[in-house]
Amino acid sequence: MDVLALARWQFAITTVYHFILVPLTIGLAPLVAGMQTAWVVTKNERWLRLTKFFGKLLLINFALGVATGIVQEFQFGMTWSEYSRFVGDVFGAPLAMEALAAFFIESTFLGLWIFGWDRLSKKVHLACAWLFALATNLSALFILSANSWMQHPVGTTYNPETGRAEMESIGAVLGNNTLWAAFPHTVTASFLLSGTFMCGIATWWMVRLVRSKKPELVALARDTYRPAVVLGAVVMLISGVGVIISGDAQGKIMYEQQPGKMSAAEALCDSTEGAAFSILTIGPLNPTCDQLTRVIEVPGLASFLGTGHFSGPDSLLPGVNDVQQDMADKFGATNEAGETISYTPPLGISYWSFRLMIGLAVFSAALAVWSLWATRKGRLSDSKWLSKLAVIAIPMPFLACSFGWIFTEIGRQPWVVAPNPSGIDEVRLLTERGVSTAVPAGVVLTSMIVFTVVYAVLGVIWYRLLHRYAIEGVPQVYDESPEARDADGDDADRPLSFAY
């Protein structure tokens, strides 16, 4: 492989792995803060148990996310130095804001939350949980602002003397309409994932305890795990609606800014009015636009996703052939080496990742509906099939989010900075021109192998830790706050917070 292919594989491997962890932190942090709020307000011990149970899982995920995220920014300088040189004046600003503001707030208040159970008052400790959750989502906002600028550069001019994009307005970058379509979609998807994670684990425990038929365990299922099942299911349903609404808005903005991405999602050859959305197709995994046999289609749906119209002239969805010709006319048909530039995203990855992103969410929907029905009016469930669905459903939104991120990035190709259709002259960069020219292929191959092995080890650690503490169940707890200690006067005989 050449340097470009190796650099792309390395960045894809590390980014996809890191993004597996990110949505759980974004969504679970507010849910943990919400459960702690319920404990502070109601003084019901079940919410304290659930806070500490899911809080421990959150900490494991956050720690691994930080470890894998640090590598991302190093790669910009190591294997993508030409990209960094071109966009550094713009791209560096939101990344610096994320590191200096959001991440410092995250780490500071997370530390206070971890070590402040017996040192801070209940309200101050609760405020730390909410500030951590807020900073986590603020961090996502800044990262997405940088990525959204790559999808739709705004607030920028091109300096022909330096050959670099230069920022004119940070307000325009942070106000990018691409950002404000991507951010709600990412956050609602993160809540869908986190709701599935919470409901899946709690459902498995509920069924297990009820099937034991021991009165004290059945009581634990009713008192502690059933509320978590209901909370997770409700979060799934609400966030699922948010994913649909925000995804629809994002699709229409994507059609305006990157029509080739929308066409690649359907592998549409030629411009079509009322283009159908294929649900079942037969063809190769990496097809050309005319190699798919569409077996089941929804008429007009692909056009609606892009244009908001099912039929008529306003529903015209451009085909990849027309997009290729249009891009070649605007930006040139060949590169410096005289090779033809393909302005068509990889169709196989774009087509299937789009469908997997949508299709895998069905498991979360099924779990939400079934678990709510099974726990209606105070009921408990001992259905082993519900338990199996819960276990199967847990990883599905992780995969769905990853495929959504893959579609977002692959569908932008061959651009690493896509041209703004409104016309910011020269603020665009082909992926092939962003790779480092001074780093030999052997160095990139070596680092890719090392990163892959290290990330695989971290992945095993992540799974083993989450699995270990998830199957241990909720802890016995007591109120460690200074107010409770002052009221009792002595806590020497109390069990440890995480003793069982």
Side-chain angles (χ1 to χ4, degrees):
M1 290 187 185
D2 59 12
V3 174
L4 175 61
L6 290 169
R8 294 179 73 177
W9 269 107
Q10 176 178 278
F11 200 84
I13 291 168
T14 55
T15 301
V16 168
Y17 180 84
H18 176 62
F19 194 71
I20 287 175
L21 309 174
V22 169
L24 183 59
T25 299
I26 294 174
L28 192 55
L31 292 181
V32 169
M35 289 186 289
Q36 186 172 346
T37 302
W39 169 62
V40 171
V41 172
T42 66
K43 298 180 176 58
N44 191 316
E45 198 174 79
R46 76 159 67 101
W47 296 114
L48 179 58
R49 289 196 293 267
L50 290 171
T51 298
K52 291 198 171 185
F53 177 55
F54 285 105
K56 182 182 286 188
L57 302 180
L58 171 64
L59 294 179
I60 294 169
N61 189 76
F62 179 77
L64 270 295
V66 171
T68 56
I70 292 173
V71 175
Q72 302 303 107
E73 296 187 15
F74 285 119
Q75 290 186 85
F76 292 132
M78 185 176 74
T79 52
W80 298 97
S81 60
E82 289 301 305
Y83 164 79
S84 298
R85 183 194 63 80
F86 181 78
V87 306
D89 186 70
V90 182
F91 203 74
L95 292 185
M97 295 169 73
E98 189 272 338
L100 296 175
F103 183 70
F104 280 176
I105 295 173
E106 279 182 275
S107 55
T108 298
F109 287 102
L110 178 61
L112 290 171
W113 187 76
I114 294 171
F115 300 107
W117 283 98
D118 59 349
R119 294 173 175 86
L120 302 174
S121 68
K122 285 183 180 180
K123 292 182 179 179
V124 171
H125 190 259
L126 176 61
C128 292
W130 278 112
L131 286 169
F132 167 68
L134 177 63
T136 298
N137 283 266
L138 187 63
S139 179
L141 176 67
F142 289 135
I143 294 297
L144 285 171
S145 69
N147 182 265
S148 296
W149 184 87
M150 295 166 64
Q151 309 282 346
H152 181 236
V154 294
T156 312
T157 58
Y158 176 74
N159 186 334
E161 295 182 3
T162 61
R164 301 174 66 235
E166 296 181 354
M167 183 185 295
E168 283 189 322
S169 170
I170 184 63
V173 173
L174 296 178
N176 193 343
N177 63 346
T178 307
L179 167 62
W180 291 104
F183 181 65
H185 192 58
T186 301
V187 171
T188 52
S190 298
F191 273 100
L192 177 62
L193 183 152
S194 301
T196 305
F197 183 79
M198 175 180 292
C199 183
I201 293 173
T203 297
W204 181 84
W205 265 110
M206 177 185 70
V207 172
R208 182 185 183 191
L209 297 180
V210 172
R211 290 177 69 85
S212 73
K213 301 187 183 305
K214 295 180 179 179
E216 67 276 13
L217 296 183
V218 174
L220 178 62
R222 182 179 303 280
D223 180 69
T224 300
Y225 288 109
R226 183 184 173 278
V229 171
V230 174
L231 175 60
V234 170
V235 168
M236 275 193 282
L237 290 179
I238 295 174
S239 58
V241 174
V243 168
I244 293 171
I245 294 173
S246 60
D248 179 67
Q250 191 175 22
K252 290 169 175 54
I253 290 178
M254 179 178 68
Y255 164 75
E256 296 175 0
Q257 298 171 354
Q258 299 178 44
K261 183 184 290 188
M262 197 68 206
S263 302
E266 186 52 40
L268 189 66
C269 291
D270 301 307
S271 299
T272 304
E273 292 183 6
F277 182 86
S278 54
I279 295 177
L280 178 62
T281 60
I282 300 174
L285 287 175
N286 189 26
T288 60
C289 65
D290 57 352
Q291 287 181 314
L292 289 174
T293 301
R294 292 165 169 80
V295 180
I296 300 178
E297 295 182 318
V298 179
L301 182 57
S303 284
F304 177 80
L305 293 175
T307 67
H309 299 277
F310 284 98
S311 60
D314 291 335
S315 70
L316 182 68
L317 196 66
V320 293
N321 294 333
D322 300 298
V323 173
Q324 170 69 28
Q325 185 61 52
D326 181 58
M327 288 287 184
D329 292 341
K330 288 181 179 179
F331 307 115
T334 60
N335 58 20
E336 291 87 345
E339 301 168 334
T340 300
I341 300 174
S342 173
Y343 293 100
T344 301
L347 291 184
I349 301 175
S350 300
Y351 182 89
W352 295 113
S353 61
F354 188 71
R355 278 149 184 77
L356 288 168
M357 172 188 69
I358 297 171
L360 291 173
V362 171
F363 290 90
S364 294
L367 177 60
V369 172
W370 191 352
S371 59
L372 282 178
W373 176 256
T375 57
R376 70 193 186 280
K377 297 181 180 180
R379 289 180 172 87
L380 296 173
S381 175
D382 63 352
S383 170
K384 64 179 182 179
W385 295 108
L386 176 58
S387 179
K388 289 181 178 180
L389 174 61
V391 173
I392 293 171
I394 290 173
M396 295 307 171
F398 286 90
L399 295 173
C401 287
S402 295
F403 281 117
W405 190 253
I406 290 170
F407 171 72
T408 298
E409 298 305 296
I410 290 294
R412 187 183 64 239
Q413 301 303 315
W415 303 101
V416 66
V417 178
N420 186 331
S422 64
I424 301 180
D425 295 337
E426 304 301 327
V427 181
R428 61 180 187 271
L429 186 69
L430 290 168
T431 303
E432 65 183 30
R433 295 175 184 167
V435 72
S436 298
T437 57
V439 180
V443 173
V444 181
L445 177 61
T446 301
S447 64
M448 182 181 73
I449 293 172
V450 171
F451 282 142
T452 302
V453 172
V454 171
Y455 275 34
V457 172
L458 290 175
V460 172
I461 294 172
W462 173 73
Y463 171 78
R464 292 293 296 273
L465 287 174
L466 287 181
H467 181 263
R468 172 188 170 184
Y469 289 109
I471 64 174
E472 283 187 359
V474 295
Q476 294 179 0
V477 294
Y478 68 94
D479 187 348
E480 302 172 81
S481 65
E483 299 99 314
R485 186 168 60 248
D486 292 342
D488 284 356
D490 181 17
D491 60 359
D493 296 327
R494 290 180 176 181
L496 294 175
S497 302
F498 288 94
Y500 288 82

